[in-house]
Amino acid sequence: MVILVTGGTVFASRYTAGYFASMGHEVFVLNRGTKPQPKNVTPIIADRHSLGDTLRNRHFDAVIDVTAYNADDVNCLLDGLGTFGCYILVSSSAVYPETLPQPFKEDGSIGVNSIWGKYGTDKIAAEQALRSRVPDAYILRPPYLCGPMNNLHREAFVFECAEQGRSFYLPKDGSMKLQFFHIGDMCRFVELLIEKKPKKHIFNVGYPEAVTIKEWVNLCYETVGEIPVFNEVYDDIPQRSYFPFYDYEYALDVAEMLELMPVLTPLSRSLTESYEWFAENRGLIIRKPLMEFIDANKETLK
């Protein structure tokens, strides 16, 4: 197939481009050329908001839109595209209001989520713009993505704590749950959508079982070959000051995804792959001052 991937320079979009190239497809990536390009793909250097005729005379068997964050992003790309087959938009679980019963189901209401704010409402607008113009497009709603090429300071932060032999500052007793999805599994699912063209067009995707913060940190330390010592934080301190995730627990119902793709990469394997990549690409992590905050506030983090 001839496939267009938007972005292609960091984490989800870069992994996606590399995945489909490794499967033998002809992959084009659309970006502004400001960052190193992935291997074995053809870059199309342009801004999706001012495409002109850049894509007008091209045909893509599939468009995988990993980098659309709002309606304008979707509309500008559609305005500039020529002919295409399947369109897949990577949206977000942030489209579900936190007030809905959990686990969130695809046929549930979407709306404002006070935790995610504008990010969530912009993703809703992106979905609505796409569905109004391409009714047979596919929309994926993942939770937290994980795996190799993740340049966010999440697993990387815990890996660094483990490497430095730090005790870990845990929000409360660490029982809050997080739901993840391996980026490689997301690519495999996109591949299934293109091949099978199921009648359902909106899918929650993710591991069917969430893990507690404490379980996740233990797995990260284990990946590095260490065992964490925990300090539980009960003070009224914003969680994101010392921990990489919001104080927000939610769960997605992924039963529809599992019907099509029942076998997933174990989370432990995902973390191993993530650490292997991190060990060779430390300089690419978008770091947050979590350690600095911890070091400056150890007396109050109790």
Side-chain angles (χ1 to χ4, degrees):
M1 292 185 295
V2 180
I3 296 175
L4 177 67
V5 177
T6 61
T9 57
V10 294
F11 190 27
S13 63
R14 189 180 187 91
Y15 189 101
T16 300
Y19 175 87
F20 281 94
S22 73
M23 293 293 109
H25 303 295
E26 184 179 5
V27 177
F28 293 83
V29 293
L30 174 67
N31 59 63
R32 290 173 292 179
T34 59
K35 297 176 181 176
Q37 302 291 341
K39 297 178 181 179
N40 303 317
V41 306
T42 302
I44 300 174
I45 307 303
D47 189 322
R48 70 186 293 158
H49 299 105
S50 53
L51 287 169
D53 292 330
T54 304
L55 304 178
R56 194 79 64 193
N57 296 319
R58 297 177 182 267
H59 172 79
F60 299 104
D61 297 301
V63 175
I64 307 173
D65 195 351
V66 189
T67 59
Y69 290 97
N70 55 47
D72 191 46
D73 290 345
V74 169
N75 285 321
C76 286
L77 181 59
L78 287 174
D79 290 344
L81 282 171
T83 59
F84 60 90
C86 190
Y87 194 119
I88 299 100
L89 171 68
V90 179
S91 183
S92 170
S93 56
V95 301
Y96 295 111
E98 75 273 24
T99 53
L100 280 184
Q102 296 192 32
F104 300 143
K105 299 179 184 294
E106 293 95 337
D107 59 0
S109 300
I110 58 176
V112 177
N113 181 301
S114 66
I115 306 297
W116 297 110
K118 188 174 185 296
Y119 173 77
T121 54
D122 280 351
K123 282 289 191 178
I124 291 171
E127 288 189 10
Q128 292 172 338
L130 179 59
R131 295 185 72 189
S132 69
R133 297 182 61 173
V134 188
D136 62 349
Y138 290 101
I139 293 171
L140 304 185
R141 295 172 177 168
Y144 297 112
L145 291 172
C146 62
M149 299 190 188
N150 186 358
N151 63 328
L152 300 177
H153 208 196
R154 292 175 178 168
E155 293 97 322
F157 167 67
V158 188
F159 293 151
E160 289 173 337
C161 289
E163 288 178 335
Q164 296 173 27
R166 286 173 170 260
S167 57
F168 197 86
Y169 287 82
L170 199 65
K172 302 181 177 63
D173 63 354
S175 61
M176 190 187 93
K177 291 185 177 181
L178 299 169
Q179 191 173 17
F180 292 100
F181 194 41
H182 186 338
I183 181 61
D185 288 343
M186 189 180 80
C187 290
R188 289 198 300 118
F189 191 68
V190 168
E191 195 171 31
L192 284 171
L193 294 179
I194 296 170
E195 292 175 357
K196 295 183 178 295
K197 295 182 173 58
K199 292 181 179 179
K200 184 178 176 63
H201 287 271
I202 299 177
F203 288 89
N204 291 336
V205 293
Y207 287 120
E209 299 296 332
V211 293
T212 68
I213 292 173
K214 194 168 188 176
E215 289 169 337
W216 177 70
V217 173
N218 269 311
L219 282 171
C220 290
Y221 269 70
E222 182 180 318
T223 301
V224 180
E226 300 292 338
I227 299 173
V229 174
F230 291 108
N231 293 324
E232 297 180 356
V233 178
Y234 288 91
D235 287 346
D236 189 19
I237 296 172
Q239 182 169 301
R240 289 249 293 175
S241 299
Y242 63 93
F243 185 74
F245 293 96
Y246 285 108
D247 184 8
Y248 174 47
E249 177 179 304
Y250 70 92
L252 299 173
D253 183 326
V254 296
E256 298 283 355
M257 177 205 75
L258 291 172
E259 284 193 14
L260 289 174
M261 191 176 73
V263 179
L264 303 178
T265 304
L267 180 58
S268 59
R269 178 61 196 167
S270 172
L271 289 171
T272 298
E273 293 176 1
S274 183
Y275 184 58
E276 289 170 350
W277 179 86
F278 165 75
E280 299 295 326
N281 297 276
R282 297 171 189 270
L284 299 181
I285 301 300
I286 303 172
R287 285 181 166 77
K288 294 186 176 181
L290 301 172
M291 288 187 184
E292 292 81 354
F293 182 88
I294 290 168
D295 289 342
N297 295 274
K298 284 184 177 178
E299 293 303 314
T300 55
L301 287 169
K302 296 179 179 177

mmCIF file with all atom_site columns, all heavy atoms in Angstrom, residues 212-226:
data_model
loop_
_atom_site.group_PDB
_atom_site.id
_atom_site.type_symbol
_atom_site.label_atom_id
_atom_site.label_alt_id
_atom_site.label_comp_id
_atom_site.label_asym_id
_atom_site.label_entity_id
_atom_site.label_seq_id
_atom_site.pdbx_PDB_ins_code
_atom_site.Cartn_x
_atom_site.Cartn_y
_atom_site.Cartn_z
_atom_site.occupancy
_atom_site.B_iso_or_equiv
_atom_site.pdbx_formal_charge
_atom_site.auth_seq_id
_atom_site.auth_comp_id
_atom_site.auth_asym_id
_atom_site.auth_atom_id
_atom_site.pdbx_PDB_model_num
ATOM 1   N N   . THR A 1 212 ? -2.175 -0.318 38.953 1.00 0.00 ? 212 THR A N   1
ATOM 2   C CA  . THR A 1 212 ? -2.038 0.752  39.934 1.00 0.00 ? 212 THR A CA  1
ATOM 3   C C   . THR A 1 212 ? -0.716 1.467  39.708 1.00 0.00 ? 212 THR A C   1
ATOM 4   O O   . THR A 1 212 ? 0.218  0.931  39.107 1.00 0.00 ? 212 THR A O   1
ATOM 5   C CB  . THR A 1 212 ? -2.078 0.219  41.377 1.00 0.00 ? 212 THR A CB  1
ATOM 6   O OG1 . THR A 1 212 ? -0.898 -0.562 41.618 1.00 0.00 ? 212 THR A OG1 1
ATOM 7   C CG2 . THR A 1 212 ? -3.333 -0.618 41.622 1.00 0.00 ? 212 THR A CG2 1
ATOM 8   N N   . ILE A 1 213 ? -0.658 2.707  40.214 1.00 0.00 ? 213 ILE A N   1
ATOM 9   C CA  . ILE A 1 213 ? 0.603  3.452  40.136 1.00 0.00 ? 213 ILE A CA  1
ATOM 10  C C   . ILE A 1 213 ? 1.734  2.633  40.745 1.00 0.00 ? 213 ILE A C   1
ATOM 11  O O   . ILE A 1 213 ? 2.836  2.548  40.187 1.00 0.00 ? 213 ILE A O   1
ATOM 12  C CB  . ILE A 1 213 ? 0.467  4.797  40.888 1.00 0.00 ? 213 ILE A CB  1
ATOM 13  C CG1 . ILE A 1 213 ? -0.498 5.736  40.170 1.00 0.00 ? 213 ILE A CG1 1
ATOM 14  C CG2 . ILE A 1 213 ? 1.829  5.462  41.040 1.00 0.00 ? 213 ILE A CG2 1
ATOM 15  C CD1 . ILE A 1 213 ? -0.798 6.997  40.957 1.00 0.00 ? 213 ILE A CD1 1
ATOM 16  N N   . LYS A 1 214 ? 1.464  2.032  41.888 1.00 0.00 ? 214 LYS A N   1
ATOM 17  C CA  . LYS A 1 214 ? 2.511  1.281  42.586 1.00 0.00 ? 214 LYS A CA  1
ATOM 18  C C   . LYS A 1 214 ? 2.980  0.094  41.751 1.00 0.00 ? 214 LYS A C   1
ATOM 19  O O   . LYS A 1 214 ? 4.187  -0.180 41.658 1.00 0.00 ? 214 LYS A O   1
ATOM 20  C CB  . LYS A 1 214 ? 2.004  0.811  43.945 1.00 0.00 ? 214 LYS A CB  1
ATOM 21  C CG  . LYS A 1 214 ? 3.086  0.310  44.881 1.00 0.00 ? 214 LYS A CG  1
ATOM 22  C CD  . LYS A 1 214 ? 2.550  0.129  46.298 1.00 0.00 ? 214 LYS A CD  1
ATOM 23  C CE  . LYS A 1 214 ? 3.676  -0.187 47.278 1.00 0.00 ? 214 LYS A CE  1
ATOM 24  N NZ  . LYS A 1 214 ? 3.170  -0.264 48.681 1.00 0.00 ? 214 LYS A NZ  1
ATOM 25  N N   . GLU A 1 215 ? 2.045  -0.618 41.135 1.00 0.00 ? 215 GLU A N   1
ATOM 26  C CA  . GLU A 1 215 ? 2.417  -1.745 40.277 1.00 0.00 ? 215 GLU A CA  1
ATOM 27  C C   . GLU A 1 215 ? 3.264  -1.259 39.102 1.00 0.00 ? 215 GLU A C   1
ATOM 28  O O   . GLU A 1 215 ? 4.260  -1.898 38.736 1.00 0.00 ? 215 GLU A O   1
ATOM 29  C CB  . GLU A 1 215 ? 1.158  -2.443 39.759 1.00 0.00 ? 215 GLU A CB  1
ATOM 30  C CG  . GLU A 1 215 ? 0.398  -3.216 40.822 1.00 0.00 ? 215 GLU A CG  1
ATOM 31  C CD  . GLU A 1 215 ? -0.967 -3.677 40.339 1.00 0.00 ? 215 GLU A CD  1
ATOM 32  O OE1 . GLU A 1 215 ? -1.524 -3.062 39.395 1.00 0.00 ? 215 GLU A OE1 1
ATOM 33  O OE2 . GLU A 1 215 ? -1.486 -4.644 40.917 1.00 0.00 ? 215 GLU A OE2 1
ATOM 34  N N   . TRP A 1 216 ? 2.869  -0.138 38.509 1.00 0.00 ? 216 TRP A N   1
ATOM 35  C CA  . TRP A 1 216 ? 3.580  0.403  37.348 1.00 0.00 ? 216 TRP A CA  1
ATOM 36  C C   . TRP A 1 216 ? 5.002  0.811  37.714 1.00 0.00 ? 216 TRP A C   1
ATOM 37  O O   . TRP A 1 216 ? 5.962  0.484  37.000 1.00 0.00 ? 216 TRP A O   1
ATOM 38  C CB  . TRP A 1 216 ? 2.792  1.578  36.779 1.00 0.00 ? 216 TRP A CB  1
ATOM 39  C CG  . TRP A 1 216 ? 3.452  2.260  35.616 1.00 0.00 ? 216 TRP A CG  1
ATOM 40  C CD1 . TRP A 1 216 ? 3.615  1.764  34.359 1.00 0.00 ? 216 TRP A CD1 1
ATOM 41  C CD2 . TRP A 1 216 ? 4.031  3.567  35.620 1.00 0.00 ? 216 TRP A CD2 1
ATOM 42  N NE1 . TRP A 1 216 ? 4.259  2.694  33.566 1.00 0.00 ? 216 TRP A NE1 1
ATOM 43  C CE2 . TRP A 1 216 ? 4.508  3.797  34.311 1.00 0.00 ? 216 TRP A CE2 1
ATOM 44  C CE3 . TRP A 1 216 ? 4.154  4.573  36.571 1.00 0.00 ? 216 TRP A CE3 1
ATOM 45  C CZ2 . TRP A 1 216 ? 5.131  5.000  33.949 1.00 0.00 ? 216 TRP A CZ2 1
ATOM 46  C CZ3 . TRP A 1 216 ? 4.773  5.763  36.217 1.00 0.00 ? 216 TRP A CZ3 1
ATOM 47  C CH2 . TRP A 1 216 ? 5.251  5.973  34.930 1.00 0.00 ? 216 TRP A CH2 1
ATOM 48  N N   . VAL A 1 217 ? 5.152  1.516  38.828 1.00 0.00 ? 217 VAL A N   1
ATOM 49  C CA  . VAL A 1 217 ? 6.491  1.931  39.267 1.00 0.00 ? 217 VAL A CA  1
ATOM 50  C C   . VAL A 1 217 ? 7.347  0.702  39.572 1.00 0.00 ? 217 VAL A C   1
ATOM 51  O O   . VAL A 1 217 ? 8.530  0.648  39.205 1.00 0.00 ? 217 VAL A O   1
ATOM 52  C CB  . VAL A 1 217 ? 6.410  2.873  40.482 1.00 0.00 ? 217 VAL A CB  1
ATOM 53  C CG1 . VAL A 1 217 ? 7.801  3.159  41.042 1.00 0.00 ? 217 VAL A CG1 1
ATOM 54  C CG2 . VAL A 1 217 ? 5.715  4.175  40.103 1.00 0.00 ? 217 VAL A CG2 1
ATOM 55  N N   . ASN A 1 218 ? 6.776  -0.294 40.230 1.00 0.00 ? 218 ASN A N   1
ATOM 56  C CA  . ASN A 1 218 ? 7.520  -1.526 40.498 1.00 0.00 ? 218 ASN A CA  1
ATOM 57  C C   . ASN A 1 218 ? 8.010  -2.163 39.201 1.00 0.00 ? 218 ASN A C   1
ATOM 58  O O   . ASN A 1 218 ? 9.150  -2.627 39.116 1.00 0.00 ? 218 ASN A O   1
ATOM 59  C CB  . ASN A 1 218 ? 6.638  -2.518 41.264 1.00 0.00 ? 218 ASN A CB  1
ATOM 60  C CG  . ASN A 1 218 ? 6.764  -2.383 42.768 1.00 0.00 ? 218 ASN A CG  1
ATOM 61  O OD1 . ASN A 1 218 ? 7.866  -2.346 43.310 1.00 0.00 ? 218 ASN A OD1 1
ATOM 62  N ND2 . ASN A 1 218 ? 5.636  -2.315 43.460 1.00 0.00 ? 218 ASN A ND2 1
ATOM 63  N N   . LEU A 1 219 ? 7.150  -2.203 38.183 1.00 0.00 ? 219 LEU A N   1
ATOM 64  C CA  . LEU A 1 219 ? 7.540  -2.774 36.894 1.00 0.00 ? 219 LEU A CA  1
ATOM 65  C C   . LEU A 1 219 ? 8.664  -1.969 36.247 1.00 0.00 ? 219 LEU A C   1
ATOM 66  O O   . LEU A 1 219 ? 9.593  -2.540 35.662 1.00 0.00 ? 219 LEU A O   1
ATOM 67  C CB  . LEU A 1 219 ? 6.338  -2.835 35.954 1.00 0.00 ? 219 LEU A CB  1
ATOM 68  C CG  . LEU A 1 219 ? 5.334  -3.961 36.175 1.00 0.00 ? 219 LEU A CG  1
ATOM 69  C CD1 . LEU A 1 219 ? 4.098  -3.754 35.309 1.00 0.00 ? 219 LEU A CD1 1
ATOM 70  C CD2 . LEU A 1 219 ? 5.965  -5.320 35.871 1.00 0.00 ? 219 LEU A CD2 1
ATOM 71  N N   . CYS A 1 220 ? 8.583  -0.631 36.344 1.00 0.00 ? 220 CYS A N   1
ATOM 72  C CA  . CYS A 1 220 ? 9.630  0.217  35.770 1.00 0.00 ? 220 CYS A CA  1
ATOM 73  C C   . CYS A 1 220 ? 10.967 -0.025 36.463 1.00 0.00 ? 220 CYS A C   1
ATOM 74  O O   . CYS A 1 220 ? 12.010 -0.150 35.808 1.00 0.00 ? 220 CYS A O   1
ATOM 75  C CB  . CYS A 1 220 ? 9.244  1.690  35.870 1.00 0.00 ? 220 CYS A CB  1
ATOM 76  S SG  . CYS A 1 220 ? 7.888  2.203  34.791 1.00 0.00 ? 220 CYS A SG  1
ATOM 77  N N   . TYR A 1 221 ? 10.963 -0.074 37.787 1.00 0.00 ? 221 TYR A N   1
ATOM 78  C CA  . TYR A 1 221 ? 12.192 -0.340 38.527 1.00 0.00 ? 221 TYR A CA  1
ATOM 79  C C   . TYR A 1 221 ? 12.721 -1.733 38.195 1.00 0.00 ? 221 TYR A C   1
ATOM 80  O O   . TYR A 1 221 ? 13.931 -1.930 38.020 1.00 0.00 ? 221 TYR A O   1
ATOM 81  C CB  . TYR A 1 221 ? 11.935 -0.216 40.031 1.00 0.00 ? 221 TYR A CB  1
ATOM 82  C CG  . TYR A 1 221 ? 12.175 1.167  40.600 1.00 0.00 ? 221 TYR A CG  1
ATOM 83  C CD1 . TYR A 1 221 ? 11.332 2.226  40.300 1.00 0.00 ? 221 TYR A CD1 1
ATOM 84  C CD2 . TYR A 1 221 ? 13.246 1.407  41.461 1.00 0.00 ? 221 TYR A CD2 1
ATOM 85  C CE1 . TYR A 1 221 ? 11.540 3.493  40.822 1.00 0.00 ? 221 TYR A CE1 1
ATOM 86  C CE2 . TYR A 1 221 ? 13.471 2.663  41.995 1.00 0.00 ? 221 TYR A CE2 1
ATOM 87  C CZ  . TYR A 1 221 ? 12.610 3.712  41.678 1.00 0.00 ? 221 TYR A CZ  1
ATOM 88  O OH  . TYR A 1 221 ? 12.827 4.959  42.199 1.00 0.00 ? 221 TYR A OH  1
ATOM 89  N N   . GLU A 1 222 ? 11.827 -2.697 38.118 1.00 0.00 ? 222 GLU A N   1
ATOM 90  C CA  . GLU A 1 222 ? 12.235 -4.065 37.790 1.00 0.00 ? 222 GLU A CA  1
ATOM 91  C C   . GLU A 1 222 ? 12.898 -4.116 36.426 1.00 0.00 ? 222 GLU A C   1
ATOM 92  O O   . GLU A 1 222 ? 13.865 -4.868 36.214 1.00 0.00 ? 222 GLU A O   1
ATOM 93  C CB  . GLU A 1 222 ? 11.005 -4.981 37.818 1.00 0.00 ? 222 GLU A CB  1
ATOM 94  C CG  . GLU A 1 222 ? 11.293 -6.442 37.553 1.00 0.00 ? 222 GLU A CG  1
ATOM 95  C CD  . GLU A 1 222 ? 10.028 -7.283 37.588 1.00 0.00 ? 222 GLU A CD  1
ATOM 96  O OE1 . GLU A 1 222 ? 9.189  -7.062 38.490 1.00 0.00 ? 222 GLU A OE1 1
ATOM 97  O OE2 . GLU A 1 222 ? 9.872  -8.145 36.713 1.00 0.00 ? 222 GLU A OE2 1
ATOM 98  N N   . THR A 1 223 ? 12.398 -3.312 35.480 1.00 0.00 ? 223 THR A N   1
ATOM 99  C CA  . THR A 1 223 ? 12.980 -3.254 34.145 1.00 0.00 ? 223 THR A CA  1
ATOM 100 C C   . THR A 1 223 ? 14.435 -2.807 34.206 1.00 0.00 ? 223 THR A C   1
ATOM 101 O O   . THR A 1 223 ? 15.283 -3.286 33.443 1.00 0.00 ? 223 THR A O   1
ATOM 102 C CB  . THR A 1 223 ? 12.168 -2.285 33.258 1.00 0.00 ? 223 THR A CB  1
ATOM 103 O OG1 . THR A 1 223 ? 10.814 -2.746 33.182 1.00 0.00 ? 223 THR A OG1 1
ATOM 104 C CG2 . THR A 1 223 ? 12.736 -2.205 31.858 1.00 0.00 ? 223 THR A CG2 1
ATOM 105 N N   . VAL A 1 224 ? 14.726 -1.898 35.129 1.00 0.00 ? 224 VAL A N   1
ATOM 106 C CA  . VAL A 1 224 ? 16.092 -1.384 35.290 1.00 0.00 ? 224 VAL A CA  1
ATOM 107 C C   . VAL A 1 224 ? 16.933 -2.318 36.159 1.00 0.00 ? 224 VAL A C   1
ATOM 108 O O   . VAL A 1 224 ? 18.155 -2.207 36.220 1.00 0.00 ? 224 VAL A O   1
ATOM 109 C CB  . VAL A 1 224 ? 16.045 0.038  35.888 1.00 0.00 ? 224 VAL A CB  1
ATOM 110 C CG1 . VAL A 1 224 ? 17.430 0.630  36.081 1.00 0.00 ? 224 VAL A CG1 1
ATOM 111 C CG2 . VAL A 1 224 ? 15.224 0.964  34.989 1.00 0.00 ? 224 VAL A CG2 1
ATOM 112 N N   . GLY A 1 225 ? 16.284 -3.252 36.841 1.00 0.00 ? 225 GLY A N   1
ATOM 113 C CA  . GLY A 1 225 ? 16.988 -4.167 37.714 1.00 0.00 ? 225 GLY A CA  1
ATOM 114 C C   . GLY A 1 225 ? 17.085 -3.682 39.147 1.00 0.00 ? 225 GLY A C   1
ATOM 115 O O   . GLY A 1 225 ? 18.001 -4.064 39.880 1.00 0.00 ? 225 GLY A O   1
ATOM 116 N N   . GLU A 1 226 ? 16.138 -2.841 39.547 1.00 0.00 ? 226 GLU A N   1
ATOM 117 C CA  . GLU A 1 226 ? 16.137 -2.280 40.898 1.00 0.00 ? 226 GLU A CA  1
ATOM 118 C C   . GLU A 1 226 ? 14.805 -2.553 41.587 1.00 0.00 ? 226 GLU A C   1
ATOM 119 O O   . GLU A 1 226 ? 13.816 -2.920 40.940 1.00 0.00 ? 226 GLU A O   1
ATOM 120 C CB  . GLU A 1 226 ? 16.395 -0.767 40.853 1.00 0.00 ? 226 GLU A CB  1
ATOM 121 C CG  . GLU A 1 226 ? 17.729 -0.372 40.235 1.00 0.00 ? 226 GLU A CG  1
ATOM 122 C CD  . GLU A 1 226 ? 18.924 -0.783 41.069 1.00 0.00 ? 226 GLU A CD  1
ATOM 123 O OE1 . GLU A 1 226 ? 18.746 -0.983 42.295 1.00 0.00 ? 226 GLU A OE1 1
ATOM 124 O OE2 . GLU A 1 226 ? 20.033 -0.896 40.514 1.00 0.00 ? 226 GLU A OE2 1
#
